[in-house]
Amino acid sequence: MAKKPDRTKVAGIVVTSGENARDFPPGTEVVGHLRSGAHATFITVPVAAIVHKPKTLTWEAAGGLFLAGATALATLDTLKIGADDTTVISAAAGGVGSLETQLAKHRGATVVGTCAERNFDYLRQLGIKPVRYARASPIASDVLPVAR
């Protein structure tokens, strides 16, 4: 079965912008995400669906990070994670999880991340407390001592 092309990621240079898009004048490099319809040479995009492409990232890297980053940020915002909170992030070494752990830590939260043992050093380098997620016993018995 042939893989369907991804028609949700947006990456490009603004050609023209409306009055509500003052932060995105023509010539601005942007990345974003739409539900569908992004597979075109030119599209009209709501301002809420795009962000400035970081100048230090390639187009491929910036486009790939956008959805994972937006998902991580939306989760933390919805849960109102901030300073003095302790949060457990599942799959903390994965695409969304690794961004979510770093954003939560940046907000001042204590972060416990579940992952495979092979990723413990990676999480420790980020200042995250790792806990193994593949187990027969309930995870709470491992998370509670680490979270304190």
Side-chain angles (χ1 to χ4, degrees):
M1 173 183 250
K3 183 179 176 187
K4 289 184 178 181
D6 183 346
R7 293 188 170 110
T8 62
K9 294 182 185 90
V10 175
I13 300 170
V14 175
V15 175
T16 186
S17 57
E19 63 182 54
N20 293 329
R22 291 188 183 95
D23 291 338
F24 299 98
T28 304
E29 295 180 339
V30 298
V31 294
H33 182 264
L34 299 174
R35 291 240 185 246
S36 65
H39 194 237
T41 303
F42 295 97
I43 57 172
T44 300
V45 182
V47 171
I50 57 173
V51 298
H52 292 267
K53 180 185 93 53
K55 293 184 186 304
T56 57
L57 292 181
T58 64
W59 284 102
E60 295 82 5
L65 284 173
F66 179 80
L67 186 56
T71 301
L73 191 58
T75 301
L76 295 173
D77 286 347
T78 299
L79 296 173
K80 297 179 174 60
I81 300 297
D84 301 322
D85 286 330
T86 298
T87 185
V88 178
I89 297 176
S90 182
V96 174
S98 63
L99 293 170
E100 196 169 38
T101 57
Q102 292 175 74
L103 290 168
K105 179 114 178 107
H106 178 74
R107 291 178 175 199
T110 298
V111 182
V112 177
T114 67
C115 65
E117 284 187 58
R118 69 178 179 272
N119 293 316
F120 276 22
D121 287 340
Y122 168 66
L123 291 186
R124 285 187 188 112
Q125 289 173 7
L126 298 176
I128 309 306
K129 299 174 180 183
V131 172
R132 187 172 53 90
Y133 61 40
R135 66 171 59 16
S137 62
I139 194 168
S141 62
D142 289 335
V143 170
L144 288 174
V146 174
R148 295 184 182 160

